Amino acid sequence: MSENGQKALQLPSIITVRDLAKVVDTSPIQVIKILMSNGVMASINQSVDFDTAAVVASELGFDASLETAEIETEEVETGEVPLWRKTIQSEDPKNLINRPPVVTILGHVDHGKTSLLDAIRHTTVAAGEAGGITQHIGAYQIEHKGRNITFLDTPGHAAFTAMRARGAQGADIVILVVAANDGVMPQTREAIAHARAARVPIIVALNKMDRPDANPDFVKRQLAENGLVPDEWDGDTLVVPVSAKQKTGLEDLMEAILLVTDSMKIEANPNGKVIGTIIESQIDRAKGVLATLLVQNGTLETGNIVVAGSAYGRIRAMEDFKGKKLRKAGPSTPVLVMGLNECPSAGDPFQVYELDREARQAVEAYKQKEQQKQVAVPSATLEDLFNRFKAGETRELCLVIKADVQGSLEPIINSLNDLEQTEIKIRILHAETGNISESDVMLAAASHGIVVGFNVQADSAARRLAEAEGISIRLYNIIYRLIEDIEKALKGMLEPVYKEVVIGKALILASFHISKIGTIAGCKVTHGEFRRNAKVRILRDDKEFYKGELSSLKHEKEDVREVRTGFECGMAFKGSPDFQIGDTVECYIMELATS
Ligand code: GDP
């Protein structure tokens, strides 16, 4: 029984009305009626998403939670064992020794992932070391009771998901941060599913225990309902109360990590094949490509030839997370490496090759494989989808719908359900109020669907992911246009319309000349944001005299991907336009027109 006296029930992320009726032990007609009273029109064979099913279940006396196990099996089937794990498995067991655990922190937004990473770093690393860590390289190591623990310092699951998606999960242990005053939330469930799919054990950090509204027992019950039964209830999940703000419970958390480490085999052969995972990378004008590598087997040395995807090079220099020069780095050590010819992607595996020729061959083989993949991976613009319909590859148009208010969502769903569905069916994967987020795009990407927004915006992370995955986000502010477009899409008549959308404005305050780069405009961003990859135009007295792209975007000498309102930055433009102090720069992107 749950908190409110309702019966606990696990539901999959998508369920047909018929199946839902079965699990809640009622007639399909009853389910359809409840759906209708909530503004959802669905027939007996149509599917509803988890959130919708949960509402129905709740009205019938059930407290539904997402069936994480189902997501797990789905993902495990498709997920590969990462290369580094395979390499370690293939080592002769007598050469294996214990290595520090690699820990990643996951959890719902605002539950305190960043605060916890900072608290751990400050209390355990910087103590006694004036200045502590001077640079963020995406990972750091701490010492607890004479033993090292490596933390991946990339909160949010972006890095972890990227790693998983490429079958190169880097972590040995996941710390799931759950705010004691907020409990299990959608991204908490998502994180549980990801960790399970990667077969990585979970330790729960019950954060914000200092808050007067912290309710640890309630959260523990929720965790148990999601398959994480706390050890104090005879389960096998360690649940450690902490406060990142007051820096309490951190010792216990480190203790828990070592306990879990000791119950697993976290090993590697320091003399074996050198292999690991890329944590992050960036370009530095002076130093070239800087990449953070996590060594997982063998020992990486300066002078080694490294290949990661299509990036390759001889390691010129290596530093640890404190900026200290290193010549060698053993298993579980994160290092900042200089010498690669291009930025490798986070989550890519890397390997060391003896010979330059072998390394070049590996890069070529990788490039060829990628080219084949590009041909094979179907993108999901409406137009591509129609081609796939025609080719008979798919019979569904999967939609993720976001609207400003419930009052707009309902008529949209109703009208979509009213559309004549011939051979091609509309399947609503998810419909919710709120702006379009990264997880909406991820959901659409998982089923080659598209994201439709009504009177909402897509946040920048969502736009970036959509661009990378080739997922279409279509924004509307008139319902019938939205419906009309979907109808056209079903018939394959949709033409994409693009327009320029200004996302940022800046004022040129200074101009400098730098020999290799050219003239740099010292600017202050006055509105929105500037993105390194977006397009720009320069205006003088409101008249445009340059339209092009940035060749460099810097904030305090660092190359950056974006700069927001209020910040100063240096911009260089392709084609060296003749700008002056006082000119305005606009940053814009091409977006599908809102109808
Ligand atoms: P993230 O989105 O998970 O990385 O969360 P953040 O670390 O950015 O924290 C979100 C908010 O919660 C911030 O305002 C923090 O100051 C606050 N916060 C984080 N940890 C604690 C805690 O232990 N206690 C309290 N009271 N607030 C916290």
Side-chain angles (χ1 to χ4, degrees), residues 80-308:
E80 286 170 42
V81 176
L83 195 58
W84 64 271
R85 273 201 208 283
K86 280 190 202 155
T87 307
I88 296 174
Q89 281 161 7
S90 67
E91 292 281 358
D92 185 341
K94 69 175 188 297
N95 295 329
L96 294 176
I97 59 163
N98 287 338
R99 62 177 169 85
V102 177
V103 179
T104 189
I105 297 197
L106 301 182
H108 194 72
V109 63
D110 275 350
H111 280 196
K113 296 177 291 293
T114 317
S115 307
L116 189 62
L117 275 163
D118 286 348
I120 296 169
R121 190 169 40 223
H122 287 120
T123 47
T124 48
V125 186
E129 274 177 51
I133 304 171
T134 50
Q135 53 180 1
H136 263 184
I137 67 165
Y140 62 79
Q141 240 181 6
I142 64 135
E143 203 185 292
H144 182 74
K145 298 203 169 147
R147 295 169 65 181
N148 285 332
I149 303 173
T150 303
F151 283 89
L152 297 183
D153 191 4
T154 43
H157 7 238
F160 187 72
T161 313
M163 285 186 189
R164 259 200 42 66
R166 292 179 176 82
Q169 306 93 319
D172 299 301
I173 296 172
V174 161
I175 304 277
L176 180 66
V177 177
V178 187
N181 61 325
D182 204 20
V184 171
M185 299 301 277
Q187 285 171 359
T188 319
R189 290 198 196 96
E190 230 175 75
I192 295 173
H194 275 304
R196 288 215 172 121
R199 294 202 179 92
V200 178
I202 298 173
I203 297 172
V204 176
L206 205 50
N207 192 30
K208 307 201 185 182
M209 286 298 287
D210 59 292
R211 287 185 56 127
D213 55 348
N215 189 350
D217 282 333
F218 172 65
V219 182
K220 283 178 197 163
R221 271 199 299 279
Q222 286 187 314
L223 288 167
E225 281 162 16
N226 284 280
L228 297 178
V229 182
D231 57 323
E232 62 183 289
W233 297 355
D234 287 337
D236 44 19
T237 305
L238 296 177
V239 178
V240 187
V242 299
S243 162
K245 191 170 181 185
Q246 302 194 331
K247 302 193 168 59
T248 55
L250 303 182
E251 286 269 315
D252 294 340
L253 188 60
M254 298 310 117
E255 233 14 74
I257 293 172
L258 293 183
L259 213 64
V260 171
T261 303
D262 290 338
S263 70
M264 304 164 63
K265 274 195 177 152
I266 300 186
E267 300 176 321
N269 176 7
N271 301 312
K273 187 169 175 189
V274 191
I275 192 160
T277 301
I278 304 293
I279 303 299
E280 62 176 36
S281 67
Q282 54 172 319
I283 295 183
D284 179 283
R285 272 234 184 253
K287 297 177 183 161
V289 173
L290 295 179
T292 302
L293 275 57
L294 175 70
V295 182
Q296 286 162 308
N297 196 53
T299 300
L300 186 69
E301 298 184 27
T302 45
N304 279 165
I305 303 169
V306 171
V307 173

Side-chain angles (χ1 to χ4, degrees), residues 87-88 161 196 329 410 415 418 472 527 535 537 560-561 566:
T87 307
I88 296 174
T161 313
R196 288 215 172 121
E410 286 165 15
S415 315
D418 284 347
S472 182
H527 295 89
K535 297 184 188 318
R537 56 175 157 245
V560 288
R561 270 193 294 181

